[in-house]
Amino acid sequence: MRVITGKYKGRRFEIPRTFKARPTTDFAKENIFNVMNGYVDFDDATALDLFAGTGSISLELLSRGCREVVSVELDRQHAAFISQCIAKVGADMESVLIKGDALKYIKACHRQFDIIFADPPYALPELPTIPELILSSDMLAEGGLLVFEHGKNNDFSQHPRFINHREYGSVNFSLFR
């Protein structure tokens, strides 16, 4: 796993083989962040990384200048790995790691973010409901961007706040405002 660009550009982290999480490929990550550049200004933004997994997206958001990144990850081993990676790049003060269930976090959250990135397990039964759950919770700041990673069998293009869809191999992203 590597950081694509920004102040931590080129930093690499070896993901333990025992991990269940599938990190977003570098190719897909680089391309979706290029698309995101057209919608948001990372400088001084607040960001939320739901289902943080390996922390790859959190690190990329921090590297690109987000003022604060909140990462939510349920798996203890994954959360420990994310914490180690954040400490290695020296971004402790800009990052908050929550060891907990992302769906419960969405329901309990009372703050807004400029950028929300959600990458749930593709087999999660609640996956089709997550964009609406986030968007109806008032978590996304006005003018903010929700990036939702999902498999090919999901289509969110009929959602009233849907703005774009990108596909990179087997990785699909739906963007909402």
Side-chain angles (χ1 to χ4, degrees):
M1 169 179 94
R2 73 179 169 97
V3 179
I4 305 296
T5 197
K7 61 184 171 184
Y8 308 128
K9 179 181 180 177
R11 296 291 301 265
R12 293 185 179 275
F13 301 91
E14 286 298 318
I15 300 168
R17 296 185 191 277
T18 58
F19 270 27
K20 297 171 274 193
R22 46 147 183 77
T24 302
T25 64
D26 286 348
F27 174 76
K29 182 170 61 171
E30 182 171 11
N31 281 289
I32 196 60
F33 271 87
N34 286 338
V35 171
M36 291 168 66
N37 274 328
Y39 292 103
V40 294
D41 181 5
F42 293 99
D43 290 333
D44 210 32
T46 57
L48 173 63
D49 183 9
L50 294 167
F51 307 94
T54 62
S56 173
I57 299 300
S58 296
L59 287 166
E60 195 69 39
L61 289 163
L62 287 165
S63 185
R64 290 173 185 252
C66 287
R67 172 172 37 97
E68 178 187 16
V69 176
V70 175
S71 308
V72 182
E73 175 53 46
L74 180 61
D75 186 281
R76 181 182 297 137
Q77 184 184 15
H78 295 194
F81 179 76
I82 293 168
S83 183
Q84 291 168 3
C85 291
I86 289 170
K88 283 180 184 175
V89 299
D92 292 336
M93 300 307 289
E94 303 150 348
S95 180
V96 175
L97 175 63
I98 296 172
K99 295 175 197 140
D101 184 289
L103 294 173
K104 289 180 183 175
Y105 181 83
I106 294 167
K107 292 174 184 172
C109 183
H110 297 294
R111 64 173 289 196
Q112 292 188 321
F113 297 91
D114 302 306
I115 303 164
I116 300 175
F117 197 104
D119 179 12
Y122 290 180
L124 188 71
E126 296 90 349
L127 185 140
T129 66
I130 293 172
E132 181 57 28
L133 185 64
I134 292 169
L135 294 167
S136 65
S137 71
D138 200 35
M139 292 171 58
L140 189 63
E142 187 173 330
L145 181 68
L146 165 61
V147 179
F148 189 69
E149 185 174 335
H150 55 87
K152 65 181 179 186
N153 295 328
N154 301 99
D155 179 8
F156 298 98
S157 62
Q158 298 306 309
H159 192 283
R161 294 180 64 183
F162 172 87
I163 56 169
N164 201 339
H165 175 262
R166 296 298 173 112
E167 182 178 344
Y168 306 107
S170 62
V171 181
N172 287 261
F173 296 96
S174 290
L175 284 68
F176 304 84
R177 283 225 110 141

